[in-house]
Amino acid sequence: MTGKKEKAKERREKRLQEISLLRTIPYSDHQRWWSEETIAVVTGANRGIGFEIARQLAGHGVTVILTSRDTGVGIEAAKVLQEGGFNVDVHQLDISDSESISNFCEWLKEKYGGTDILVNNAGVNYNVGSDNSVQLARQVIDVNYYGTKNMIKAMIPLMRPSAAGARIVNVSSRLGKVNGRRNRISDATLREELSNLDTLSEEVIDRTMSTFLQQVEDDTWQSGGWPQSFTDYSLSKLAVNAYTRSMAKELSDRPEGEKIFINCYCPGWVKTAMTGWAGNISVEDAADTGVFLALLHEAVTGKFFAERREVNF
Ligand code: NDP
């Protein structure tokens, strides 16, 4: 390992130790804006990071709605938490299926009147190791970006008004950094359009996704100047990051008492099915920043976090 890599590894390990310690410090009364009446919806919560986010949120005393695209698997996962004494309910939800989203929203409205927290965790990636197939690009972008976006749109009217404000947390990735040093879009004009809040819009993000998918279909994507690693996945997360900022701007003029804060974060490279358990971060550490953002008592919105710290988009 080179000196630089070793130093980065040391820094990460030190930060993870700090975070493990922070997790043991209870929230003080003035920070605790939530109670067991507070509802948190977590998508893709039957396993991996989503399950752990559900577990940690329930551990903080929030009522968690564990959602899963497979009903039976969701019920089994919820049982594990319920048997641990947590307040956990469960419902089917496939974020790439508009009917499933609307059935879920109807149920949520009827049973709970809405939610206070939404964690968009569900996601897919079909590249492992150094592979970079785009064979399933449409599916990756449909689930990771359009599924997340459709959930946000469907859930905004269901975010319950409160003095503390409702929260949306999107589980994203550093691979989707628009201005990262590596793995970025080579077209500087497009990067500027996607990073400047004056020009960034849902239309620009959707257009970028359509251009890429069209090039995949025409088999011309290799020369399109797209991110070089995990191209389809990186672009889907770039879209999630950009949409988080764009939506934060759109939501910013809501009146006091109806505020919605929206942020995204990168959990790191995590030991889950998605990485073939090859990651270097545990699910506990990976869920931490998501839980931190969901429970944050400060009015932070439109930001990208990693390891509880704000990072550049
Ligand atoms: P897993 O593959 O373990 O879990 C993914 C979860 O998403 C599963 O519950 C899966 O359900 C669910 N899911 C997939 N598609 C849908 C859908 N259409 N509707 C509802 N749920 C769906 O991966 P992780 O826990 O690692 O990933 C969680 C999130 O973290 C993802 O958004 C991922 O992109 C992100 N992330 C992960 C990293 C890592 O290193 N692992 C790094 C950076 C980001 P099912 O069981 O039915 O397949």
Side-chain angles (χ1 to χ4, degrees):
M1 203 183 293
T2 64
K4 244 184 174 176
K5 271 195 179 160
E6 236 166 69
K7 284 234 165 66
K9 188 172 173 231
E10 271 169 30
R11 271 200 307 273
R12 192 185 62 243
E13 276 167 7
K14 188 162 171 270
R15 183 61 188 154
L16 291 177
Q17 272 171 12
E18 285 166 13
I19 286 175
S20 295
L21 184 65
L22 287 171
R23 272 213 301 282
T24 65
I25 302 170
Y27 283 88
S28 58
D29 283 348
H30 82 278
Q31 291 173 318
R32 244 181 117 87
W33 57 268
W34 65 94
S35 70
E36 64 178 16
E37 306 297 313
T38 305
I39 308 294
V41 170
V42 185
T43 70
N46 52 292
R47 63 177 158 106
I49 301 169
F51 178 79
E52 181 58 23
I53 290 176
R55 195 184 69 78
Q56 290 186 20
L57 282 174
H60 285 294
V62 169
T63 296
V64 172
I65 318 290
L66 181 153
T67 70
S68 165
R69 62 177 161 178
D70 183 291
T71 308
V73 171
I75 291 172
E76 285 308 311
K79 251 189 218 156
V80 175
L81 299 180
Q82 289 157 347
E83 284 165 1
F86 295 130
N87 279 331
V88 174
D89 204 344
V90 57
H91 200 277
Q92 195 277 340
L93 176 63
D94 181 338
I95 64 161
S96 61
D97 175 354
S98 58
E99 205 178 312
S100 171
I101 293 183
S102 82
N103 287 342
F104 171 70
C105 288
E106 238 172 74
W107 171 85
L108 183 73
K109 187 163 187 216
E110 178 86 13
K111 189 157 178 187
Y112 295 98
T115 192
D116 305 285
I117 298 168
L118 166 64
V119 181
N120 288 304
N121 162 79
V124 289
N125 166 39
Y126 298 103
N127 291 304
V128 190
S130 55
D131 212 69
N132 190 26
S133 157
V134 293
Q135 225 176 341
L136 296 167
R138 191 167 290 277
Q139 206 168 318
V140 171
I141 286 169
D142 273 355
V143 174
N144 296 1
Y145 170 54
Y146 289 107
T148 298
K149 177 167 92 157
N150 292 340
M151 267 305 284
I152 292 171
K153 288 198 174 186
M155 294 288 284
I156 281 176
L158 297 183
M159 302 302 292
R160 305 195 298 192
S162 70
R167 291 106 209 277
I168 301 174
V169 179
N170 298 324
V171 184
S172 194
S173 172
R174 282 192 182 90
L175 283 171
K177 274 166 86 89
V178 70
N179 283 314
R181 260 180 303 158
R182 287 172 306 222
N183 208 39
R184 61 184 191 183
I185 294 172
S186 64
D187 180 346
T189 313
L190 178 57
R191 279 207 315 273
E192 169 62 16
E193 213 180 349
L194 284 163
S195 42
N196 185 336
L197 258 187
D198 294 331
T199 50
L200 176 62
S201 67
E202 185 179 339
E203 190 272 323
V204 173
I205 306 168
D206 287 6
R207 176 163 36 87
T208 306
M209 296 303 108
S210 303
T211 306
F212 168 65
L213 289 174
Q214 189 58 54
Q215 291 184 9
V216 169
E217 209 163 287
D218 302 343
D219 203 18
T220 56
W221 67 276
Q222 299 268 17
S223 53
W226 305 107
Q228 304 78 39
S229 310
F230 291 12
T231 304
D232 51 4
Y233 180 78
S234 298
L235 272 172
S236 73
K237 293 299 190 183
L238 181 148
V240 170
N241 292 347
Y243 188 69
T244 304
R245 286 185 83 206
S246 164
M247 196 32 109
K249 186 178 167 194
E250 203 175 312
L251 293 170
S252 64
D253 56 5
R254 287 170 73 96
E256 278 308 321
E258 290 176 31
K259 294 278 185 212
I260 302 176
F261 307 122
I262 177 167
N263 295 291
C264 56
Y265 87 101
C266 175
W269 187 42
V270 192
K271 294 181 212 291
T272 62
M274 185 170 281
T275 58
W277 285 274
N280 56 8
I281 307 256
S282 67
V283 279
E284 288 83 1
D285 286 328
D288 177 83
T289 303
V291 173
F292 165 79
L293 286 171
L295 300 181
L296 201 63
H297 69 290
E298 292 147 31
V300 173
T301 195
K303 305 291 185 207
F304 182 31
F305 277 71
E307 291 154 10
R308 293 197 183 199
R309 288 185 181 137
E310 192 187 328
V311 289
N312 290 331
F313 274 93

